[in-house]
Amino acid sequence: MAEEHPCQTPEGHRLCVNNCGFFGSSATMNLCSNCYGDLCLKNQQQASMKSTVESSLSAASPPSSEIQSISTSTIAPVVQIYAAEIQIPSTEKQIQQQPPQRPNRCTVCRKRVGLTGFMCRCGTTFCGTHRYPEVHGCTFDFKSAGREEIAKANPLVIAAKLQKI
């Protein structure tokens, strides 16, 4: 009694060519709006990569007549390889460039300092009580650092000697 009818779309409505389940239109090459947007974005990225490769090739090769002889069919695989090489190192750099984590405890009393910790010039973190160099026995030589800063800020000026008449 129960007959199975295959799913049919009404006339004028077509399913997306990518089989995503949404309806496509002839204006978007029978793609739904999501798939069409992805396709346009992909085409823009390929075009920008192609122009990048062409500009780098024009800077590297001597005459422009040779550049014009290169067909787009030979550039397209180069663009894809170049794009793959660019994307892999950029993700690795993002992973590697994480800032080093500051210690969140005072070196002397081990009190949690969080964001209010003081970084001393000797390179350690202290709480508000132990932040002064006299209190925590700082090993940094402030006197020589001050002398170096003064020497850099005030260069020695020597005038040329005058000749006696």
Side-chain angles (χ1 to χ4, degrees):
M1 288 203 180
E3 293 182 27
E4 293 186 21
H5 295 287
C7 180
Q8 296 178 354
T9 58
E11 292 183 27
H13 296 287
R14 296 183 183 155
L15 288 174
C16 178
V17 178
N18 287 344
N19 293 326
C20 64
F22 294 105
F23 291 109
S25 69
S26 58
T28 59
M29 299 185 294
N30 294 329
L31 294 170
C32 65
S33 60
N34 265 348
C35 296
Y36 185 72
D38 292 343
L39 178 72
C40 291
L41 183 64
K42 187 176 178 182
N43 288 341
Q44 287 175 348
Q45 288 176 346
Q46 285 179 350
S48 67
M49 285 297 201
K50 180 180 174 183
S51 65
T52 305
V53 169
E54 286 176 350
S55 65
S56 65
L57 286 176
S58 65
S61 63
S64 62
S65 60
E66 291 179 14
I67 295 171
Q68 293 173 354
S69 65
I70 298 174
S71 67
T72 57
S73 63
T74 59
I75 292 177
V78 173
V79 169
Q80 292 172 353
I81 293 169
Y82 186 67
E85 289 175 356
I86 288 175
Q87 290 174 358
I88 293 169
S90 65
T91 56
E92 290 175 0
K93 287 180 184 176
Q94 291 173 353
I95 294 169
Q96 293 174 356
Q97 292 180 350
Q98 294 176 350
Q101 189 175 8
R102 280 181 45 181
N104 59 352
R105 292 190 179 269
C106 174
T107 308
V108 177
C109 64
R110 306 296 299 156
K111 178 182 174 185
R112 288 189 60 141
V113 292
L115 296 175
T116 60
F118 294 92
M119 285 292 293
C120 181
R121 292 174 78 176
C122 63
T124 52
T125 304
F126 297 101
C127 64
T129 307
H130 299 109
R131 68 181 178 202
Y132 301 110
E134 301 84 27
V135 176
H136 70 260
C138 189
T139 58
F140 186 77
D141 189 10
F142 289 94
K143 188 180 276 188
S144 63
R147 286 180 182 157
E148 289 175 8
E149 284 185 32
I150 290 172
K152 286 180 186 176
N154 301 320
L156 186 61
V157 178
I158 301 174
K161 292 189 175 186
L162 297 176
Q163 296 179 356
K164 291 184 180 181
I165 303 176

